Amino acid sequence: MWRRLFATVPAFRAQKAPCRSFKSSRRSDKDVFEEVEDQFRAFRKKAVKAMPGSDWSPFELTPGLPPERADVVIIGGGVVGWSIAYWIKRKERTRGALRVVVVEKDPTYSQASTVLSCGGIRQQFSLKENILLSLESADFLRNINKHLWVTNEDPVDLQFNHSGYLFLASEKSAHVMEENYSTQRYAGAKVVLLSPSQLKERFPWMNTEGVALASLGLENEGWFDPWSLLNAFRRKALSMGVYQCFGEVTGFRYSTQIAEVAEGDFVDFRRIKCVNVRMPNSLEYQPVECPVVVNAAGANSGKIAAMLGIGLGPEESVSGIPFPVEPRKRFAYVVHCPDGPGLDTPFLIDYSGVYLRREGLGGNYIAGMSPEETEEPDISNLDVDHEFFQEKVWHHLAHRIPAFEKLKVSSAWAGFYDYNTFDQNGILGLHPLVANMYFATGFSGHGLQQSPAVGRAIAELILDRGYKTIDLSAFGIKRIIKKKPILERNIV
Amino acid sequence: MAAPLVRHAMRRCLAHNCAVTVRRGLRSGATPSVFTRLLLKLDHYFYDVESFLYLKEWWKTKVVKFQNKYFGYVQKRYGAQIGAAYYILAIKGSFRFAGQSQWFRPDSTGMFSFMRSPHGQIEEVDLSGTLINLNGLGNLISQNKLKTLSLRGCPEVDDWFLARLHVFRDSLVELDLSDCTHVTVGGLAALQNLRKLKRLDISGLPRLQCPGLVRILLEEMLPHCQVIGVESEQGMIQPERQEPTDIDDASTQSGLRRS
């Protein structure tokens, strides 16, 4: 405005150097009042931004930080972690009474065992606790929409195939299978034993040479989509108010007390005060103060346990016993066989260790095998070893199902088992050296099928201070300290 | 320490601002309708509205649960046969004993009587249109001579129910699953246990993507069974043009072109 007044005075105008204007448009002919109004409008826009209610903030807040204080921090956002979060929220007495935070390292779940799993569920175990866990989980999956349905969302569809598991036993292991059969029937699983002739009549595409006995699951066994289950748990837990945080747990802040063990030596008894959660691609971390921490980190649980000094003490003492969970790589191969068995293919598990299940209706199958202890593949990456299929898996597959002599491997992937090197069974409960960390890991390939029941068990431990539905004290860490393994004889 | 407090305050302000903006937006126009005002009011009572919506689901679940309860007293007092028969009639199904041609079903008022006539094993059961589910099947497990089971149009029959039908694997000859909306291929795979099955009706199953392919696979799985209700071409992608016939081939080869 002043510039215009300035320019109207001839004396001032003359002082402007004569030059051509480079603008193609004329100067706008707004009068004074319009210009004042323009300026008022600009001022109002700026003022609205400064008022409370706008999203401008003088502080630069990192998005996605976890809350500073929480009641339960669950390390690991796989199916077990989210199941625990859901059950804790379901069992809390007042709505919003507990603040639960689930910390997951990788938002894409690229290396998570849950989504890389074949998705099978079976009750054919040798331990009563495993059978009960699996039965309860099947019961949960049967009524999944009663448990995990969220208002206005689509119902959960797990694409459950009820084809059952078929275990084959050779002469050597037939007696083990019979003992397991009676345990399974006693615990409530619906299983039937088949002789080789019955097997041949039932599954004519199978070569029954070398098979002494087979056991087939009739009900509550089959496979489903693990990603659907994970998302169902996650969606329901988020709708109940669980906080989700993407970050990595890099350490803990804990207080230490010296405790005397029965044998007379002293160990450090730790109580976690804070969990340090580091943001992805950043050095920034947020310490989350919490009274209870749950370790459901799957293959990385050993690393988390080591951050608390478990296993780093002198070898003879309790604190020298390392947490026995480590990642083990397993391969799954998708094969296409046009002449293969049809809709009646169960989840076949041969006594040589090879397993096979149908995938879809187009003649595709998923096959794999557990390698020998001495030939464990390298765990630094998830690269697939195709030689393993050619040399080990195919030979056994073709022997058992002759149609598989002609097949084509369409694709393959690798995933980690959270392998319990001690006895291949889950580890649930508190550690004697840490006051407030609950473990729910070490399932060695069965985490997915036991996750709903395990989630409930841990929620009962935390909130009811003891197991209420299934007594899983046999899976406590005490057995590791006392060196008394409870072996599961039906590990795949 | 101050940052989350400020963040919390901002979150509250944002939530308040949403409501305020709506009201501001409304204020600029005409007065809001009764419906919009009601929605804004309900916005304050989210959990109550959610519980109210759950009521409908709760009531449906209650009705289904009631229809599928286990008649423990009848089973214990009168035996498994009478227990099963009583249950079938109580949920408005019908059945026929082995060796007899009379069908027992409840009349229009829901009354039934079958105790006076001689009874034996139940051979044919018709549960069409009933609310039977997996739990209700527990009443019928003892019927090991069951030959025909009709589940036409049962809304609660799903894959888990089919998986439990293995209890009839030594006797079931005919199974009718038409119009059961929740049945999928995963459940039909469980029918592999019914080795004596001779007739299977799978018409009207909306969740089967390729009914024709499923029929072929079922016939392969149960070689003695006739699968009805589905045409072989159902669910297949039809070719867009017709393939040239032999006559056409010959004419094109000889240089003649069809107009």
Side-chain angles (χ1 to χ4, degrees), chain A residues 256-287:
Chain A
T256 317
Q257 280 181 315
I258 312 288
E260 190 176 345
V261 186
E263 287 88 53
D265 49 58
F266 295 93
V267 290
D268 287 338
F269 183 70
R270 298 203 153 105
R271 176 176 292 275
I272 300 172
K273 299 285 189 207
C274 277
V275 182
N276 291 340
V277 179
R278 195 189 67 189
M279 292 295 106
N281 302 323
S282 162
L283 284 175
E284 181 184 2
Y285 71 92
Q286 167 78 359

PDB file of all heavy atoms in Angstrom, chain A residues 256-287:
ATOM      1  N   THR A 256      18.935 -54.716  40.725  1.00  0.00           N
ATOM      2  CA  THR A 256      19.498 -56.033  41.038  1.00  0.00           C
ATOM      3  C   THR A 256      19.573 -56.220  42.533  1.00  0.00           C
ATOM      4  O   THR A 256      19.962 -55.321  43.272  1.00  0.00           O
ATOM      5  CB  THR A 256      20.929 -56.134  40.468  1.00  0.00           C
ATOM      6  OG1 THR A 256      20.926 -55.578  39.165  1.00  0.00           O
ATOM      7  CG2 THR A 256      21.387 -57.575  40.411  1.00  0.00           C
ATOM      8  N   GLN A 257      19.199 -57.412  42.958  1.00  0.00           N
ATOM      9  CA  GLN A 257      19.390 -57.769  44.373  1.00  0.00           C
ATOM     10  C   GLN A 257      20.201 -59.036  44.390  1.00  0.00           C
ATOM     11  O   GLN A 257      20.053 -59.882  43.505  1.00  0.00           O
ATOM     12  CB  GLN A 257      18.039 -58.059  45.018  1.00  0.00           C
ATOM     13  CG  GLN A 257      17.268 -56.853  45.427  1.00  0.00           C
ATOM     14  CD  GLN A 257      15.964 -57.282  46.065  1.00  0.00           C
ATOM     15  OE1 GLN A 257      15.269 -58.152  45.571  1.00  0.00           O
ATOM     16  NE2 GLN A 257      15.639 -56.673  47.171  1.00  0.00           N
ATOM     17  N   ILE A 258      20.993 -59.191  45.425  1.00  0.00           N
ATOM     18  CA  ILE A 258      21.751 -60.446  45.520  1.00  0.00           C
ATOM     19  C   ILE A 258      20.882 -61.430  46.282  1.00  0.00           C
ATOM     20  O   ILE A 258      20.380 -61.128  47.366  1.00  0.00           O
ATOM     21  CB  ILE A 258      23.077 -60.236  46.276  1.00  0.00           C
ATOM     22  CG1 ILE A 258      23.801 -59.014  45.738  1.00  0.00           C
ATOM     23  CG2 ILE A 258      23.939 -61.482  46.186  1.00  0.00           C
ATOM     24  CD1 ILE A 258      24.395 -59.170  44.378  1.00  0.00           C
ATOM     25  N   ALA A 259      20.681 -62.589  45.702  1.00  0.00           N
ATOM     26  CA  ALA A 259      19.858 -63.608  46.351  1.00  0.00           C
ATOM     27  C   ALA A 259      20.718 -64.837  46.600  1.00  0.00           C
ATOM     28  O   ALA A 259      21.602 -65.161  45.805  1.00  0.00           O
ATOM     29  CB  ALA A 259      18.675 -63.955  45.464  1.00  0.00           C
ATOM     30  N   GLU A 260      20.412 -65.516  47.681  1.00  0.00           N
ATOM     31  CA  GLU A 260      21.180 -66.721  47.994  1.00  0.00           C
ATOM     32  C   GLU A 260      20.396 -67.928  47.539  1.00  0.00           C
ATOM     33  O   GLU A 260      19.220 -68.092  47.854  1.00  0.00           O
ATOM     34  CB  GLU A 260      21.412 -66.793  49.508  1.00  0.00           C
ATOM     35  CG  GLU A 260      22.396 -67.873  49.877  1.00  0.00           C
ATOM     36  CD  GLU A 260      22.698 -67.875  51.364  1.00  0.00           C
ATOM     37  OE1 GLU A 260      22.369 -66.877  52.035  1.00  0.00           O
ATOM     38  OE2 GLU A 260      23.233 -68.881  51.844  1.00  0.00           O
ATOM     39  N   VAL A 261      21.046 -68.779  46.790  1.00  0.00           N
ATOM     40  CA  VAL A 261      20.402 -69.991  46.284  1.00  0.00           C
ATOM     41  C   VAL A 261      20.615 -71.095  47.313  1.00  0.00           C
ATOM     42  O   VAL A 261      21.480 -70.994  48.177  1.00  0.00           O
ATOM     43  CB  VAL A 261      21.021 -70.379  44.925  1.00  0.00           C
ATOM     44  CG1 VAL A 261      20.291 -71.529  44.298  1.00  0.00           C
ATOM     45  CG2 VAL A 261      21.005 -69.201  43.989  1.00  0.00           C
ATOM     46  N   ALA A 262      19.809 -72.148  47.224  1.00  0.00           N
ATOM     47  CA  ALA A 262      19.859 -73.228  48.219  1.00  0.00           C
ATOM     48  C   ALA A 262      21.255 -73.803  48.400  1.00  0.00           C
ATOM     49  O   ALA A 262      21.663 -74.139  49.496  1.00  0.00           O
ATOM     50  CB  ALA A 262      18.890 -74.330  47.808  1.00  0.00           C
ATOM     51  N   GLU A 263      22.030 -73.879  47.308  1.00  0.00           N
ATOM     52  CA  GLU A 263      23.354 -74.504  47.432  1.00  0.00           C
ATOM     53  C   GLU A 263      24.376 -73.611  48.112  1.00  0.00           C
ATOM     54  O   GLU A 263      25.515 -74.018  48.277  1.00  0.00           O
ATOM     55  CB  GLU A 263      23.905 -74.870  46.040  1.00  0.00           C
ATOM     56  CG  GLU A 263      23.221 -76.061  45.406  1.00  0.00           C
ATOM     57  CD  GLU A 263      22.012 -75.651  44.608  1.00  0.00           C
ATOM     58  OE1 GLU A 263      22.137 -74.762  43.744  1.00  0.00           O
ATOM     59  OE2 GLU A 263      20.934 -76.186  44.861  1.00  0.00           O
ATOM     60  N   GLY A 264      23.983 -72.377  48.422  1.00  0.00           N
ATOM     61  CA  GLY A 264      24.912 -71.492  49.131  1.00  0.00           C
ATOM     62  C   GLY A 264      25.556 -70.446  48.255  1.00  0.00           C
ATOM     63  O   GLY A 264      26.212 -69.549  48.756  1.00  0.00           O
ATOM     64  N   ASP A 265      25.401 -70.529  46.931  1.00  0.00           N
ATOM     65  CA  ASP A 265      26.024 -69.464  46.137  1.00  0.00           C
ATOM     66  C   ASP A 265      25.018 -68.361  45.830  1.00  0.00           C
ATOM     67  O   ASP A 265      23.812 -68.527  45.998  1.00  0.00           O
ATOM     68  CB  ASP A 265      26.690 -69.998  44.857  1.00  0.00           C
ATOM     69  CG  ASP A 265      25.787 -70.911  44.074  1.00  0.00           C
ATOM     70  OD1 ASP A 265      24.692 -70.469  43.687  1.00  0.00           O
ATOM     71  OD2 ASP A 265      26.179 -72.049  43.842  1.00  0.00           O
ATOM     72  N   PHE A 266      25.567 -67.252  45.421  1.00  0.00           N
ATOM     73  CA  PHE A 266      24.771 -66.037  45.286  1.00  0.00           C
ATOM     74  C   PHE A 266      24.516 -65.740  43.815  1.00  0.00           C
ATOM     75  O   PHE A 266      25.399 -65.863  42.986  1.00  0.00           O
ATOM     76  CB  PHE A 266      25.510 -64.855  45.929  1.00  0.00           C
ATOM     77  CG  PHE A 266      25.664 -65.025  47.406  1.00  0.00           C
ATOM     78  CD1 PHE A 266      26.810 -65.607  47.927  1.00  0.00           C
ATOM     79  CD2 PHE A 266      24.659 -64.622  48.270  1.00  0.00           C
ATOM     80  CE1 PHE A 266      26.949 -65.765  49.294  1.00  0.00           C
ATOM     81  CE2 PHE A 266      24.793 -64.788  49.630  1.00  0.00           C
ATOM     82  CZ  PHE A 266      25.938 -65.361  50.143  1.00  0.00           C
ATOM     83  N   VAL A 267      23.279 -65.346  43.516  1.00  0.00           N
ATOM     84  CA  VAL A 267      22.947 -64.964  42.142  1.00  0.00           C
ATOM     85  C   VAL A 267      22.296 -63.595  42.169  1.00  0.00           C
ATOM     86  O   VAL A 267      21.790 -63.145  43.196  1.00  0.00           O
ATOM     87  CB  VAL A 267      21.972 -65.966  41.482  1.00  0.00           C
ATOM     88  CG1 VAL A 267      22.666 -67.267  41.208  1.00  0.00           C
ATOM     89  CG2 VAL A 267      20.749 -66.182  42.342  1.00  0.00           C
ATOM     90  N   ASP A 268      22.319 -62.946  40.987  1.00  0.00           N
ATOM     91  CA  ASP A 268      21.652 -61.654  40.846  1.00  0.00           C
ATOM     92  C   ASP A 268      20.193 -61.878  40.541  1.00  0.00           C
ATOM     93  O   ASP A 268      19.851 -62.545  39.569  1.00  0.00           O
ATOM     94  CB  ASP A 268      22.271 -60.885  39.664  1.00  0.00           C
ATOM     95  CG  ASP A 268      23.641 -60.376  40.002  1.00  0.00           C
ATOM     96  OD1 ASP A 268      23.938 -60.235  41.199  1.00  0.00           O
ATOM     97  OD2 ASP A 268      24.416 -60.127  39.060  1.00  0.00           O
ATOM     98  N   PHE A 269      19.350 -61.308  41.373  1.00  0.00           N
ATOM     99  CA  PHE A 269      17.906 -61.392  41.131  1.00  0.00           C
ATOM    100  C   PHE A 269      17.475 -60.042  40.591  1.00  0.00           C
ATOM    101  O   PHE A 269      17.610 -59.024  41.260  1.00  0.00           O
ATOM    102  CB  PHE A 269      17.197 -61.725  42.443  1.00  0.00           C
ATOM    103  CG  PHE A 269      15.721 -61.899  42.295  1.00  0.00           C
ATOM    104  CD1 PHE A 269      15.217 -62.993  41.625  1.00  0.00           C
ATOM    105  CD2 PHE A 269      14.844 -60.973  42.815  1.00  0.00           C
ATOM    106  CE1 PHE A 269      13.857 -63.165  41.489  1.00  0.00           C
ATOM    107  CE2 PHE A 269      13.475 -61.138  42.680  1.00  0.00           C
ATOM    108  CZ  PHE A 269      12.986 -62.238  42.013  1.00  0.00           C
ATOM    109  N   ARG A 270      16.959 -60.029  39.377  1.00  0.00           N
ATOM    110  CA  ARG A 270      16.712 -58.747  38.703  1.00  0.00           C
ATOM    111  C   ARG A 270      15.225 -58.442  38.647  1.00  0.00           C
ATOM    112  O   ARG A 270      14.390 -59.334  38.525  1.00  0.00           O
ATOM    113  CB  ARG A 270      17.256 -58.805  37.272  1.00  0.00           C
ATOM    114  CG  ARG A 270      18.747 -59.035  37.264  1.00  0.00           C
ATOM    115  CD  ARG A 270      19.398 -58.563  36.004  1.00  0.00           C
ATOM    116  NE  ARG A 270      20.775 -58.237  36.314  1.00  0.00           N
ATOM    117  CZ  ARG A 270      21.821 -58.976  35.987  1.00  0.00           C
ATOM    118  NH1 ARG A 270      21.668 -60.075  35.302  1.00  0.00           N
ATOM    119  NH2 ARG A 270      23.031 -58.607  36.338  1.00  0.00           N
ATOM    120  N   ARG A 271      14.936 -57.172  38.685  1.00  0.00           N
ATOM    121  CA  ARG A 271      13.556 -56.721  38.485  1.00  0.00           C
ATOM    122  C   ARG A 271      13.593 -55.639  37.426  1.00  0.00           C
ATOM    123  O   ARG A 271      14.277 -54.639  37.592  1.00  0.00           O
ATOM    124  CB  ARG A 271      12.971 -56.177  39.786  1.00  0.00           C
ATOM    125  CG  ARG A 271      11.567 -55.597  39.614  1.00  0.00           C
ATOM    126  CD  ARG A 271      11.013 -55.157  40.947  1.00  0.00           C
ATOM    127  NE  ARG A 271      10.756 -56.300  41.795  1.00  0.00           N
ATOM    128  CZ  ARG A 271       9.639 -57.032  41.769  1.00  0.00           C
ATOM    129  NH1 ARG A 271       8.676 -56.731  40.936  1.00  0.00           N
ATOM    130  NH2 ARG A 271       9.493 -58.045  42.569  1.00  0.00           N
ATOM    131  N   ILE A 272      12.840 -55.838  36.346  1.00  0.00           N
ATOM    132  CA  ILE A 272      12.879 -54.886  35.228  1.00  0.00           C
ATOM    133  C   ILE A 272      12.104 -53.635  35.612  1.00  0.00           C
ATOM    134  O   ILE A 272      10.978 -53.710  36.120  1.00  0.00           O
ATOM    135  CB  ILE A 272      12.247 -55.526  33.973  1.00  0.00           C
ATOM    136  CG1 ILE A 272      13.024 -56.774  33.577  1.00  0.00           C
ATOM    137  CG2 ILE A 272      12.232 -54.547  32.822  1.00  0.00           C
ATOM    138  CD1 ILE A 272      12.366 -57.555  32.474  1.00  0.00           C
ATOM    139  N   LYS A 273      12.739 -52.486  35.372  1.00  0.00           N
ATOM    140  CA  LYS A 273      12.044 -51.216  35.627  1.00  0.00           C
ATOM    141  C   LYS A 273      11.551 -50.596  34.334  1.00  0.00           C
ATOM    142  O   LYS A 273      10.453 -50.055  34.266  1.00  0.00           O
ATOM    143  CB  LYS A 273      13.011 -50.221  36.293  1.00  0.00           C
ATOM    144  CG  LYS A 273      13.522 -50.684  37.606  1.00  0.00           C
ATOM    145  CD  LYS A 273      12.466 -50.565  38.658  1.00  0.00           C
ATOM    146  CE  LYS A 273      13.059 -50.837  40.018  1.00  0.00           C
ATOM    147  NZ  LYS A 273      12.105 -51.340  40.951  1.00  0.00           N
ATOM    148  N   CYS A 274      12.403 -50.636  33.304  1.00  0.00           N
ATOM    149  CA  CYS A 274      12.068 -49.988  32.031  1.00  0.00           C
ATOM    150  C   CYS A 274      12.493 -50.884  30.885  1.00  0.00           C
ATOM    151  O   CYS A 274      13.486 -51.595  30.985  1.00  0.00           O
ATOM    152  CB  CYS A 274      12.893 -48.715  31.839  1.00  0.00           C
ATOM    153  SG  CYS A 274      12.221 -47.318  32.642  1.00  0.00           S
ATOM    154  N   VAL A 275      11.731 -50.800  29.797  1.00  0.00           N
ATOM    155  CA  VAL A 275      12.138 -51.478  28.565  1.00  0.00           C
ATOM    156  C   VAL A 275      12.550 -50.395  27.589  1.00  0.00           C
ATOM    157  O   VAL A 275      11.790 -49.459  27.354  1.00  0.00           O
ATOM    158  CB  VAL A 275      10.943 -52.266  27.959  1.00  0.00           C
ATOM    159  CG1 VAL A 275      11.359 -52.999  26.722  1.00  0.00           C
ATOM    160  CG2 VAL A 275      10.339 -53.202  28.978  1.00  0.00           C
ATOM    161  N   ASN A 276      13.744 -50.494  27.033  1.00  0.00           N
ATOM    162  CA  ASN A 276      14.190 -49.479  26.064  1.00  0.00           C
ATOM    163  C   ASN A 276      13.785 -49.916  24.671  1.00  0.00           C
ATOM    164  O   ASN A 276      14.256 -50.932  24.167  1.00  0.00           O
ATOM    165  CB  ASN A 276      15.715 -49.335  26.113  1.00  0.00           C
ATOM    166  CG  ASN A 276      16.167 -48.710  27.408  1.00  0.00           C
ATOM    167  OD1 ASN A 276      15.378 -48.070  28.098  1.00  0.00           O
ATOM    168  ND2 ASN A 276      17.424 -48.893  27.749  1.00  0.00           N
ATOM    169  N   VAL A 277      12.908 -49.132  24.049  1.00  0.00           N
ATOM    170  CA  VAL A 277      12.416 -49.469  22.716  1.00  0.00           C
ATOM    171  C   VAL A 277      13.014 -48.491  21.727  1.00  0.00           C
ATOM    172  O   VAL A 277      12.775 -47.283  21.819  1.00  0.00           O
ATOM    173  CB  VAL A 277      10.870 -49.372  22.663  1.00  0.00           C
ATOM    174  CG1 VAL A 277      10.368 -49.701  21.279  1.00  0.00           C
ATOM    175  CG2 VAL A 277      10.255 -50.297  23.691  1.00  0.00           C
ATOM    176  N   ARG A 278      13.787 -48.990  20.788  1.00  0.00           N
ATOM    177  CA  ARG A 278      14.434 -48.119  19.813  1.00  0.00           C
ATOM    178  C   ARG A 278      13.583 -48.028  18.562  1.00  0.00           C
ATOM    179  O   ARG A 278      13.066 -49.036  18.073  1.00  0.00           O
ATOM    180  CB  ARG A 278      15.816 -48.682  19.472  1.00  0.00           C
ATOM    181  CG  ARG A 278      16.699 -47.676  18.770  1.00  0.00           C
ATOM    182  CD  ARG A 278      17.943 -48.302  18.269  1.00  0.00           C
ATOM    183  NE  ARG A 278      17.613 -49.239  17.213  1.00  0.00           N
ATOM    184  CZ  ARG A 278      18.478 -50.086  16.679  1.00  0.00           C
ATOM    185  NH1 ARG A 278      19.721 -50.112  17.116  1.00  0.00           N
ATOM    186  NH2 ARG A 278      18.114 -50.905  15.738  1.00  0.00           N
ATOM    187  N   MET A 279      13.444 -46.816  18.042  1.00  0.00           N
ATOM    188  CA  MET A 279      12.607 -46.601  16.869  1.00  0.00           C
ATOM    189  C   MET A 279      13.287 -47.140  15.623  1.00  0.00           C
ATOM    190  O   MET A 279      14.515 -47.169  15.538  1.00  0.00           O
ATOM    191  CB  MET A 279      12.328 -45.104  16.680  1.00  0.00           C
ATOM    192  CG  MET A 279      11.452 -44.537  17.746  1.00  0.00           C
ATOM    193  SD  MET A 279       9.801 -45.239  17.695  1.00  0.00           S
ATOM    194  CE  MET A 279       9.812 -46.308  19.080  1.00  0.00           C
ATOM    195  N   PRO A 280      12.515 -47.561  14.608  1.00  0.00           N
ATOM    196  CA  PRO A 280      13.138 -48.116  13.405  1.00  0.00           C
ATOM    197  C   PRO A 280      13.952 -47.059  12.671  1.00  0.00           C
ATOM    198  O   PRO A 280      13.552 -45.893  12.581  1.00  0.00           O
ATOM    199  CB  PRO A 280      11.943 -48.580  12.562  1.00  0.00           C
ATOM    200  CG  PRO A 280      10.757 -47.955  13.145  1.00  0.00           C
ATOM    201  CD  PRO A 280      11.049 -47.611  14.543  1.00  0.00           C
ATOM    202  N   ASN A 281      15.088 -47.452  12.169  1.00  0.00           N
ATOM    203  CA  ASN A 281      16.000 -46.590  11.405  1.00  0.00           C
ATOM    204  C   ASN A 281      16.380 -45.331  12.155  1.00  0.00           C
ATOM    205  O   ASN A 281      16.453 -44.249  11.580  1.00  0.00           O
ATOM    206  CB  ASN A 281      15.351 -46.174  10.069  1.00  0.00           C
ATOM    207  CG  ASN A 281      14.991 -47.379   9.243  1.00  0.00           C
ATOM    208  OD1 ASN A 281      15.718 -48.355   9.229  1.00  0.00           O
ATOM    209  ND2 ASN A 281      13.862 -47.320   8.595  1.00  0.00           N
ATOM    210  N   SER A 282      16.585 -45.469  13.436  1.00  0.00           N
ATOM    211  CA  SER A 282      16.912 -44.278  14.206  1.00  0.00           C
ATOM    212  C   SER A 282      17.678 -44.719  15.444  1.00  0.00           C
ATOM    213  O   SER A 282      17.656 -45.888  15.805  1.00  0.00           O
ATOM    214  CB  SER A 282      15.598 -43.590  14.586  1.00  0.00           C
ATOM    215  OG  SER A 282      15.789 -42.710  15.640  1.00  0.00           O
ATOM    216  N   LEU A 283      18.355 -43.755  16.083  1.00  0.00           N
ATOM    217  CA  LEU A 283      19.017 -44.106  17.333  1.00  0.00           C
ATOM    218  C   LEU A 283      18.163 -43.734  18.529  1.00  0.00           C
ATOM    219  O   LEU A 283      18.502 -44.034  19.664  1.00  0.00           O
ATOM    220  CB  LEU A 283      20.355 -43.361  17.431  1.00  0.00           C
ATOM    221  CG  LEU A 283      21.467 -43.918  16.558  1.00  0.00           C
ATOM    222  CD1 LEU A 283      22.690 -43.022  16.664  1.00  0.00           C
ATOM    223  CD2 LEU A 283      21.830 -45.328  16.985  1.00  0.00           C
ATOM    224  N   GLU A 284      17.033 -43.077  18.241  1.00  0.00           N
ATOM    225  CA  GLU A 284      16.206 -42.596  19.344  1.00  0.00           C
ATOM    226  C   GLU A 284      15.529 -43.781  20.027  1.00  0.00           C
ATOM    227  O   GLU A 284      15.021 -44.680  19.362  1.00  0.00           O
ATOM    228  CB  GLU A 284      15.137 -41.660  18.782  1.00  0.00           C
ATOM    229  CG  GLU A 284      14.237 -41.097  19.838  1.00  0.00           C
ATOM    230  CD  GLU A 284      13.136 -40.244  19.241  1.00  0.00           C
ATOM    231  OE1 GLU A 284      13.081 -40.138  17.995  1.00  0.00           O
ATOM    232  OE2 GLU A 284      12.337 -39.715  20.013  1.00  0.00           O
ATOM    233  N   TYR A 285      15.502 -43.783  21.331  1.00  0.00           N
ATOM    234  CA  TYR A 285      14.788 -44.853  22.019  1.00  0.00           C
ATOM    235  C   TYR A 285      13.910 -44.250  23.097  1.00  0.00           C
ATOM    236  O   TYR A 285      14.144 -43.152  23.590  1.00  0.00           O
ATOM    237  CB  TYR A 285      15.750 -45.897  22.607  1.00  0.00           C
ATOM    238  CG  TYR A 285      16.554 -45.425  23.787  1.00  0.00           C
ATOM    239  CD1 TYR A 285      16.108 -45.613  25.089  1.00  0.00           C
ATOM    240  CD2 TYR A 285      17.777 -44.791  23.601  1.00  0.00           C
ATOM    241  CE1 TYR A 285      16.839 -45.173  26.175  1.00  0.00           C
ATOM    242  CE2 TYR A 285      18.512 -44.357  24.678  1.00  0.00           C
ATOM    243  CZ  TYR A 285      18.045 -44.548  25.956  1.00  0.00           C
ATOM    244  OH  TYR A 285      18.780 -44.114  27.022  1.00  0.00           O
ATOM    245  N   GLN A 286      12.888 -44.983  23.432  1.00  0.00           N
ATOM    246  CA  GLN A 286      11.955 -44.542  24.455  1.00  0.00           C
ATOM    247  C   GLN A 286      11.971 -45.557  25.590  1.00  0.00           C
ATOM    248  O   GLN A 286      11.703 -46.733  25.360  1.00  0.00           O
ATOM    249  CB  GLN A 286      10.540 -44.451  23.852  1.00  0.00           C
ATOM    250  CG  GLN A 286       9.421 -44.306  24.833  1.00  0.00           C
ATOM    251  CD  GLN A 286       9.294 -42.891  25.368  1.00  0.00           C
ATOM    252  OE1 GLN A 286      10.081 -42.014  24.999  1.00  0.00           O
ATOM    253  NE2 GLN A 286       8.346 -42.662  26.213  1.00  0.00           N
ATOM    254  N   PRO A 287      12.300 -45.161  26.805  1.00  0.00           N
ATOM    255  CA  PRO A 287      12.200 -46.126  27.904  1.00  0.00           C
ATOM    256  C   PRO A 287      10.747 -46.230  28.368  1.00  0.00           C
ATOM    257  O   PRO A 287      10.136 -45.227  28.698  1.00  0.00           O
ATOM    258  CB  PRO A 287      13.075 -45.496  28.992  1.00  0.00           C
ATOM    259  CG  PRO A 287      13.266 -44.079  28.612  1.00  0.00           C
ATOM    260  CD  PRO A 287      12.834 -43.864  27.214  1.00  0.00           C
TER     261      PRO A 287
END
